[in-house]
Amino acid sequence: MSAAGDRLQDTARHAALALPGTDHGYPFTKHLDVYKVAGKVFLIVTDDPDEQIITVKCEPEHARALERGHASITPGRYLDKRHWISLGPGRGITKRLITDAVEDSYDLAVERLPQRDRPRTPSTASTPTSR
């Protein structure tokens, strides 16, 4: 089942906010909800009701494959078109695809951070050892 625009955007927002260290705001315009981890953008949700898209970071080869497979996935609207894609509602745009795209984008942003700036997740946080 394909996601309509508002569901696409809501799914992306929920996926982003579930990731450690995520914050968001409107630094550019009131129509662009920008999600960051340690200051690095990984998701832009366009709040314009006439253009319900999300834009995420993506490995170039994977981005081209997604664009070929989905008519509503295009090179990134606001950023480097080689490393970013925009997803709009359409055939094959599922909740799983949206969530995976947001999580992959987040991972790409985190990979570029120095180790000290990376958010701590439960699996990487130090836990007390039992004696």
Side-chain angles (χ1 to χ4, degrees):
M1 178 176 214
S2 294
D6 56 344
R7 288 196 306 273
L8 178 147
Q9 292 168 313
D10 289 344
T11 298
R13 285 184 169 104
H14 290 321
L17 292 172
L19 298 167
T22 296
D23 64 356
H24 74 104
Y26 294 82
F28 308 124
T29 173
K30 66 180 180 171
H31 292 296
L32 298 178
D33 190 6
V34 178
Y35 290 74
K36 298 179 181 183
V37 57
K40 299 286 185 189
V41 175
F42 70 93
L43 168 66
I44 298 173
V45 178
T46 303
D47 282 334
D48 182 344
D50 295 328
E51 188 175 44
Q52 295 181 318
I53 63 169
I54 64 167
T55 301
V56 294
K57 191 180 242 344
C58 191
E59 288 288 347
E61 301 78 29
H62 187 56
R64 302 305 77 85
L66 287 170
E67 291 167 16
R68 284 190 301 274
H70 300 87
S72 62
I73 298 180
T74 60
R77 182 65 53 88
Y78 307 105
L79 302 161
D80 175 358
K81 295 185 182 322
R82 180 168 151 73
H83 294 277
W84 291 83
I85 56 173
S86 292
L87 294 82
R91 185 181 183 105
I93 306 300
T94 63
K95 184 174 182 176
R96 177 82 262 152
L97 178 70
I98 296 161
T99 300
D100 286 350
V102 170
E103 290 173 352
D104 289 349
S105 182
Y106 173 90
D107 290 344
L108 287 169
V110 168
E111 278 177 14
R112 295 187 165 267
L113 294 172
Q115 197 67 37
R116 70 180 180 277
D117 294 340
R118 293 181 184 186
R120 293 169 56 124
T121 61
S123 61
T124 61
S126 59
T127 55
T129 55
S130 55
R131 297 181 193 225

PDB file of all heavy atoms in Angstrom, residues 55-82:
ATOM      1  N   THR A  55      13.036  14.865   1.651  1.00  0.00           N
ATOM      2  CA  THR A  55      14.326  14.783   0.997  1.00  0.00           C
ATOM      3  C   THR A  55      15.315  14.173   1.987  1.00  0.00           C
ATOM      4  O   THR A  55      15.372  14.599   3.148  1.00  0.00           O
ATOM      5  CB  THR A  55      14.793  16.185   0.534  1.00  0.00           C
ATOM      6  OG1 THR A  55      13.802  16.699  -0.372  1.00  0.00           O
ATOM      7  CG2 THR A  55      16.128  16.131  -0.174  1.00  0.00           C
ATOM      8  N   VAL A  56      16.048  13.147   1.526  1.00  0.00           N
ATOM      9  CA  VAL A  56      16.988  12.413   2.377  1.00  0.00           C
ATOM     10  C   VAL A  56      18.318  12.223   1.668  1.00  0.00           C
ATOM     11  O   VAL A  56      18.390  12.210   0.447  1.00  0.00           O
ATOM     12  CB  VAL A  56      16.428  11.027   2.786  1.00  0.00           C
ATOM     13  CG1 VAL A  56      15.216  11.154   3.683  1.00  0.00           C
ATOM     14  CG2 VAL A  56      16.108  10.175   1.570  1.00  0.00           C
ATOM     15  N   LYS A  57      19.366  12.040   2.465  1.00  0.00           N
ATOM     16  CA  LYS A  57      20.701  11.716   1.968  1.00  0.00           C
ATOM     17  C   LYS A  57      20.666  10.257   1.509  1.00  0.00           C
ATOM     18  O   LYS A  57      19.986   9.432   2.102  1.00  0.00           O
ATOM     19  CB  LYS A  57      21.684  11.892   3.127  1.00  0.00           C
ATOM     20  CG  LYS A  57      23.132  11.857   2.764  1.00  0.00           C
ATOM     21  CD  LYS A  57      23.942  12.056   4.032  1.00  0.00           C
ATOM     22  CE  LYS A  57      24.805  13.247   4.102  1.00  0.00           C
ATOM     23  NZ  LYS A  57      25.189  14.020   3.020  1.00  0.00           N
ATOM     24  N   CYS A  58      21.414   9.941   0.432  1.00  0.00           N
ATOM     25  CA  CYS A  58      21.392   8.579  -0.101  1.00  0.00           C
ATOM     26  C   CYS A  58      22.683   8.307  -0.854  1.00  0.00           C
ATOM     27  O   CYS A  58      23.206   9.200  -1.531  1.00  0.00           O
ATOM     28  CB  CYS A  58      20.186   8.428  -1.034  1.00  0.00           C
ATOM     29  SG  CYS A  58      19.821   6.745  -1.543  1.00  0.00           S
ATOM     30  N   GLU A  59      23.209   7.091  -0.744  1.00  0.00           N
ATOM     31  CA  GLU A  59      24.375   6.701  -1.537  1.00  0.00           C
ATOM     32  C   GLU A  59      24.012   6.860  -3.010  1.00  0.00           C
ATOM     33  O   GLU A  59      22.925   6.461  -3.431  1.00  0.00           O
ATOM     34  CB  GLU A  59      24.752   5.239  -1.261  1.00  0.00           C
ATOM     35  CG  GLU A  59      25.373   5.003   0.097  1.00  0.00           C
ATOM     36  CD  GLU A  59      26.788   5.550   0.207  1.00  0.00           C
ATOM     37  OE1 GLU A  59      27.402   5.904  -0.827  1.00  0.00           O
ATOM     38  OE2 GLU A  59      27.276   5.640   1.334  1.00  0.00           O
ATOM     39  N   PRO A  60      24.891   7.447  -3.829  1.00  0.00           N
ATOM     40  CA  PRO A  60      24.543   7.731  -5.228  1.00  0.00           C
ATOM     41  C   PRO A  60      24.022   6.529  -6.025  1.00  0.00           C
ATOM     42  O   PRO A  60      23.031   6.651  -6.744  1.00  0.00           O
ATOM     43  CB  PRO A  60      25.855   8.264  -5.813  1.00  0.00           C
ATOM     44  CG  PRO A  60      26.540   8.887  -4.638  1.00  0.00           C
ATOM     45  CD  PRO A  60      26.197   7.991  -3.470  1.00  0.00           C
ATOM     46  N   GLU A  61      24.658   5.368  -5.895  1.00  0.00           N
ATOM     47  CA  GLU A  61      24.213   4.202  -6.663  1.00  0.00           C
ATOM     48  C   GLU A  61      22.815   3.762  -6.229  1.00  0.00           C
ATOM     49  O   GLU A  61      21.975   3.412  -7.056  1.00  0.00           O
ATOM     50  CB  GLU A  61      25.191   3.026  -6.509  1.00  0.00           C
ATOM     51  CG  GLU A  61      26.605   3.321  -6.959  1.00  0.00           C
ATOM     52  CD  GLU A  61      27.416   4.142  -5.942  1.00  0.00           C
ATOM     53  OE1 GLU A  61      27.165   4.061  -4.717  1.00  0.00           O
ATOM     54  OE2 GLU A  61      28.293   4.909  -6.378  1.00  0.00           O
ATOM     55  N   HIS A  62      22.589   3.768  -4.931  1.00  0.00           N
ATOM     56  CA  HIS A  62      21.277   3.379  -4.401  1.00  0.00           C
ATOM     57  C   HIS A  62      20.222   4.407  -4.823  1.00  0.00           C
ATOM     58  O   HIS A  62      19.098   4.052  -5.165  1.00  0.00           O
ATOM     59  CB  HIS A  62      21.353   3.243  -2.881  1.00  0.00           C
ATOM     60  CG  HIS A  62      20.122   2.694  -2.253  1.00  0.00           C
ATOM     61  ND1 HIS A  62      19.571   1.485  -2.610  1.00  0.00           N
ATOM     62  CD2 HIS A  62      19.310   3.200  -1.296  1.00  0.00           C
ATOM     63  CE1 HIS A  62      18.478   1.274  -1.898  1.00  0.00           C
ATOM     64  NE2 HIS A  62      18.297   2.296  -1.101  1.00  0.00           N
ATOM     65  N   ALA A  63      20.605   5.672  -4.796  1.00  0.00           N
ATOM     66  CA  ALA A  63      19.683   6.739  -5.205  1.00  0.00           C
ATOM     67  C   ALA A  63      19.229   6.535  -6.644  1.00  0.00           C
ATOM     68  O   ALA A  63      18.034   6.625  -6.951  1.00  0.00           O
ATOM     69  CB  ALA A  63      20.354   8.104  -5.054  1.00  0.00           C
ATOM     70  N   ARG A  64      20.174   6.260  -7.556  1.00  0.00           N
ATOM     71  CA  ARG A  64      19.808   6.063  -8.960  1.00  0.00           C
ATOM     72  C   ARG A  64      18.900   4.849  -9.129  1.00  0.00           C
ATOM     73  O   ARG A  64      17.954   4.872  -9.909  1.00  0.00           O
ATOM     74  CB  ARG A  64      21.056   5.888  -9.844  1.00  0.00           C
ATOM     75  CG  ARG A  64      22.078   7.036  -9.835  1.00  0.00           C
ATOM     76  CD  ARG A  64      21.586   8.442 -10.181  1.00  0.00           C
ATOM     77  NE  ARG A  64      20.852   9.165  -9.170  1.00  0.00           N
ATOM     78  CZ  ARG A  64      21.374   9.904  -8.176  1.00  0.00           C
ATOM     79  NH1 ARG A  64      22.658  10.027  -8.017  1.00  0.00           N
ATOM     80  NH2 ARG A  64      20.574  10.543  -7.337  1.00  0.00           N
ATOM     81  N   ALA A  65      19.157   3.778  -8.373  1.00  0.00           N
ATOM     82  CA  ALA A  65      18.302   2.583  -8.451  1.00  0.00           C
ATOM     83  C   ALA A  65      16.889   2.911  -7.973  1.00  0.00           C
ATOM     84  O   ALA A  65      15.896   2.489  -8.592  1.00  0.00           O
ATOM     85  CB  ALA A  65      18.903   1.446  -7.624  1.00  0.00           C
ATOM     86  N   LEU A  66      16.769   3.659  -6.881  1.00  0.00           N
ATOM     87  CA  LEU A  66      15.444   4.038  -6.374  1.00  0.00           C
ATOM     88  C   LEU A  66      14.715   4.924  -7.377  1.00  0.00           C
ATOM     89  O   LEU A  66      13.511   4.766  -7.603  1.00  0.00           O
ATOM     90  CB  LEU A  66      15.567   4.747  -5.028  1.00  0.00           C
ATOM     91  CG  LEU A  66      15.932   3.871  -3.836  1.00  0.00           C
ATOM     92  CD1 LEU A  66      16.268   4.723  -2.616  1.00  0.00           C
ATOM     93  CD2 LEU A  66      14.799   2.899  -3.510  1.00  0.00           C
ATOM     94  N   GLU A  67      15.440   5.849  -7.992  1.00  0.00           N
ATOM     95  CA  GLU A  67      14.827   6.735  -8.990  1.00  0.00           C
ATOM     96  C   GLU A  67      14.313   5.939 -10.188  1.00  0.00           C
ATOM     97  O   GLU A  67      13.225   6.216 -10.699  1.00  0.00           O
ATOM     98  CB  GLU A  67      15.830   7.791  -9.459  1.00  0.00           C
ATOM     99  CG  GLU A  67      16.168   8.811  -8.403  1.00  0.00           C
ATOM    100  CD  GLU A  67      17.385   9.651  -8.759  1.00  0.00           C
ATOM    101  OE1 GLU A  67      17.796   9.663  -9.945  1.00  0.00           O
ATOM    102  OE2 GLU A  67      17.931  10.294  -7.846  1.00  0.00           O
ATOM    103  N   ARG A  68      15.083   4.943 -10.618  1.00  0.00           N
ATOM    104  CA  ARG A  68      14.655   4.114 -11.751  1.00  0.00           C
ATOM    105  C   ARG A  68      13.425   3.275 -11.397  1.00  0.00           C
ATOM    106  O   ARG A  68      12.580   3.020 -12.242  1.00  0.00           O
ATOM    107  CB  ARG A  68      15.786   3.188 -12.208  1.00  0.00           C
ATOM    108  CG  ARG A  68      16.850   3.896 -13.012  1.00  0.00           C
ATOM    109  CD  ARG A  68      17.830   2.920 -13.658  1.00  0.00           C
ATOM    110  NE  ARG A  68      18.523   2.068 -12.699  1.00  0.00           N
ATOM    111  CZ  ARG A  68      19.641   2.391 -12.057  1.00  0.00           C
ATOM    112  NH1 ARG A  68      20.206   3.563 -12.272  1.00  0.00           N
ATOM    113  NH2 ARG A  68      20.204   1.548 -11.224  1.00  0.00           N
ATOM    114  N   GLY A  69      13.322   2.863 -10.145  1.00  0.00           N
ATOM    115  CA  GLY A  69      12.237   1.979  -9.727  1.00  0.00           C
ATOM    116  C   GLY A  69      10.965   2.670  -9.285  1.00  0.00           C
ATOM    117  O   GLY A  69       9.938   2.008  -9.116  1.00  0.00           O
ATOM    118  N   HIS A  70      11.006   3.978  -9.054  1.00  0.00           N
ATOM    119  CA  HIS A  70       9.844   4.692  -8.527  1.00  0.00           C
ATOM    120  C   HIS A  70       9.710   6.056  -9.209  1.00  0.00           C
ATOM    121  O   HIS A  70      10.601   6.898  -9.088  1.00  0.00           O
ATOM    122  CB  HIS A  70       9.984   4.913  -7.020  1.00  0.00           C
ATOM    123  CG  HIS A  70      10.104   3.651  -6.235  1.00  0.00           C
ATOM    124  ND1 HIS A  70      11.312   3.036  -6.014  1.00  0.00           N
ATOM    125  CD2 HIS A  70       9.163   2.883  -5.640  1.00  0.00           C
ATOM    126  CE1 HIS A  70      11.110   1.938  -5.303  1.00  0.00           C
ATOM    127  NE2 HIS A  70       9.824   1.812  -5.062  1.00  0.00           N
ATOM    128  N   ALA A  71       8.603   6.268  -9.862  1.00  0.00           N
ATOM    129  CA  ALA A  71       8.377   7.533 -10.578  1.00  0.00           C
ATOM    130  C   ALA A  71       8.369   8.740  -9.646  1.00  0.00           C
ATOM    131  O   ALA A  71       8.717   9.845 -10.057  1.00  0.00           O
ATOM    132  CB  ALA A  71       7.058   7.463 -11.347  1.00  0.00           C
ATOM    133  N   SER A  72       8.002   8.540  -8.375  1.00  0.00           N
ATOM    134  CA  SER A  72       7.898   9.679  -7.455  1.00  0.00           C
ATOM    135  C   SER A  72       9.154   9.877  -6.601  1.00  0.00           C
ATOM    136  O   SER A  72       9.135  10.637  -5.648  1.00  0.00           O
ATOM    137  CB  SER A  72       6.654   9.549  -6.577  1.00  0.00           C
ATOM    138  OG  SER A  72       6.740   8.395  -5.780  1.00  0.00           O
ATOM    139  N   ILE A  73      10.258   9.210  -6.961  1.00  0.00           N
ATOM    140  CA  ILE A  73      11.555   9.466  -6.329  1.00  0.00           C
ATOM    141  C   ILE A  73      12.424  10.162  -7.370  1.00  0.00           C
ATOM    142  O   ILE A  73      12.625   9.659  -8.472  1.00  0.00           O
ATOM    143  CB  ILE A  73      12.225   8.174  -5.816  1.00  0.00           C
ATOM    144  CG1 ILE A  73      11.353   7.523  -4.729  1.00  0.00           C
ATOM    145  CG2 ILE A  73      13.631   8.485  -5.284  1.00  0.00           C
ATOM    146  CD1 ILE A  73      11.927   6.237  -4.157  1.00  0.00           C
ATOM    147  N   THR A  74      12.917  11.341  -7.001  1.00  0.00           N
ATOM    148  CA  THR A  74      13.687  12.176  -7.923  1.00  0.00           C
ATOM    149  C   THR A  74      14.981  12.634  -7.249  1.00  0.00           C
ATOM    150  O   THR A  74      15.110  12.545  -6.023  1.00  0.00           O
ATOM    151  CB  THR A  74      12.866  13.424  -8.328  1.00  0.00           C
ATOM    152  OG1 THR A  74      12.552  14.170  -7.150  1.00  0.00           O
ATOM    153  CG2 THR A  74      11.585  13.034  -9.056  1.00  0.00           C
ATOM    154  N   PRO A  75      15.933  13.152  -8.017  1.00  0.00           N
ATOM    155  CA  PRO A  75      17.130  13.727  -7.383  1.00  0.00           C
ATOM    156  C   PRO A  75      16.708  14.792  -6.360  1.00  0.00           C
ATOM    157  O   PRO A  75      15.685  15.455  -6.524  1.00  0.00           O
ATOM    158  CB  PRO A  75      17.889  14.354  -8.558  1.00  0.00           C
ATOM    159  CG  PRO A  75      17.466  13.544  -9.739  1.00  0.00           C
ATOM    160  CD  PRO A  75      16.009  13.224  -9.481  1.00  0.00           C
ATOM    161  N   GLY A  76      17.478  14.930  -5.306  1.00  0.00           N
ATOM    162  CA  GLY A  76      17.141  15.821  -4.200  1.00  0.00           C
ATOM    163  C   GLY A  76      16.753  17.226  -4.620  1.00  0.00           C
ATOM    164  O   GLY A  76      17.448  17.848  -5.416  1.00  0.00           O
ATOM    165  N   ARG A  77      15.658  17.701  -4.070  1.00  0.00           N
ATOM    166  CA  ARG A  77      15.097  18.988  -4.456  1.00  0.00           C
ATOM    167  C   ARG A  77      15.947  20.161  -4.010  1.00  0.00           C
ATOM    168  O   ARG A  77      16.129  21.116  -4.722  1.00  0.00           O
ATOM    169  CB  ARG A  77      13.696  19.098  -3.831  1.00  0.00           C
ATOM    170  CG  ARG A  77      12.925  20.353  -4.161  1.00  0.00           C
ATOM    171  CD  ARG A  77      12.554  20.499  -5.637  1.00  0.00           C
ATOM    172  NE  ARG A  77      11.861  19.367  -6.173  1.00  0.00           N
ATOM    173  CZ  ARG A  77      10.554  19.175  -6.161  1.00  0.00           C
ATOM    174  NH1 ARG A  77       9.774  20.078  -5.627  1.00  0.00           N
ATOM    175  NH2 ARG A  77      10.017  18.098  -6.677  1.00  0.00           N
ATOM    176  N   TYR A  78      16.473  20.124  -2.803  1.00  0.00           N
ATOM    177  CA  TYR A  78      17.108  21.314  -2.247  1.00  0.00           C
ATOM    178  C   TYR A  78      18.619  21.217  -2.126  1.00  0.00           C
ATOM    179  O   TYR A  78      19.277  22.208  -1.865  1.00  0.00           O
ATOM    180  CB  TYR A  78      16.535  21.596  -0.848  1.00  0.00           C
ATOM    181  CG  TYR A  78      15.044  21.670  -0.864  1.00  0.00           C
ATOM    182  CD1 TYR A  78      14.276  20.634  -0.377  1.00  0.00           C
ATOM    183  CD2 TYR A  78      14.397  22.772  -1.413  1.00  0.00           C
ATOM    184  CE1 TYR A  78      12.895  20.695  -0.414  1.00  0.00           C
ATOM    185  CE2 TYR A  78      13.016  22.837  -1.464  1.00  0.00           C
ATOM    186  CZ  TYR A  78      12.274  21.798  -0.958  1.00  0.00           C
ATOM    187  OH  TYR A  78      10.913  21.859  -1.009  1.00  0.00           O
ATOM    188  N   LEU A  79      19.162  20.020  -2.299  1.00  0.00           N
ATOM    189  CA  LEU A  79      20.575  19.800  -2.015  1.00  0.00           C
ATOM    190  C   LEU A  79      21.271  19.131  -3.189  1.00  0.00           C
ATOM    191  O   LEU A  79      20.679  18.956  -4.253  1.00  0.00           O
ATOM    192  CB  LEU A  79      20.688  18.951  -0.740  1.00  0.00           C
ATOM    193  CG  LEU A  79      20.005  19.580   0.484  1.00  0.00           C
ATOM    194  CD1 LEU A  79      19.745  18.552   1.548  1.00  0.00           C
ATOM    195  CD2 LEU A  79      20.831  20.719   1.027  1.00  0.00           C
ATOM    196  N   ASP A  80      22.501  18.722  -2.996  1.00  0.00           N
ATOM    197  CA  ASP A  80      23.290  18.040  -4.014  1.00  0.00           C
ATOM    198  C   ASP A  80      22.502  16.861  -4.596  1.00  0.00           C
ATOM    199  O   ASP A  80      22.173  15.917  -3.894  1.00  0.00           O
ATOM    200  CB  ASP A  80      24.589  17.563  -3.366  1.00  0.00           C
ATOM    201  CG  ASP A  80      25.469  16.734  -4.271  1.00  0.00           C
ATOM    202  OD1 ASP A  80      25.093  16.459  -5.418  1.00  0.00           O
ATOM    203  OD2 ASP A  80      26.560  16.353  -3.809  1.00  0.00           O
ATOM    204  N   LYS A  81      22.198  16.934  -5.863  1.00  0.00           N
ATOM    205  CA  LYS A  81      21.337  15.942  -6.495  1.00  0.00           C
ATOM    206  C   LYS A  81      21.998  14.573  -6.645  1.00  0.00           C
ATOM    207  O   LYS A  81      21.339  13.595  -6.925  1.00  0.00           O
ATOM    208  CB  LYS A  81      20.853  16.461  -7.846  1.00  0.00           C
ATOM    209  CG  LYS A  81      19.965  17.680  -7.654  1.00  0.00           C
ATOM    210  CD  LYS A  81      19.357  18.157  -8.929  1.00  0.00           C
ATOM    211  CE  LYS A  81      18.515  19.377  -8.773  1.00  0.00           C
ATOM    212  NZ  LYS A  81      17.704  19.515  -7.621  1.00  0.00           N
ATOM    213  N   ARG A  82      23.286  14.504  -6.441  1.00  0.00           N
ATOM    214  CA  ARG A  82      23.968  13.203  -6.500  1.00  0.00           C
ATOM    215  C   ARG A  82      23.815  12.431  -5.192  1.00  0.00           C
ATOM    216  O   ARG A  82      23.691  11.217  -5.184  1.00  0.00           O
ATOM    217  CB  ARG A  82      25.450  13.436  -6.815  1.00  0.00           C
ATOM    218  CG  ARG A  82      26.270  12.191  -6.907  1.00  0.00           C
ATOM    219  CD  ARG A  82      27.646  12.492  -7.514  1.00  0.00           C
ATOM    220  NE  ARG A  82      28.668  11.582  -7.042  1.00  0.00           N
ATOM    221  CZ  ARG A  82      28.771  10.317  -7.413  1.00  0.00           C
ATOM    222  NH1 ARG A  82      27.913   9.798  -8.246  1.00  0.00           N
ATOM    223  NH2 ARG A  82      29.746   9.567  -6.932  1.00  0.00           N
TER     224      ARG A  82
END
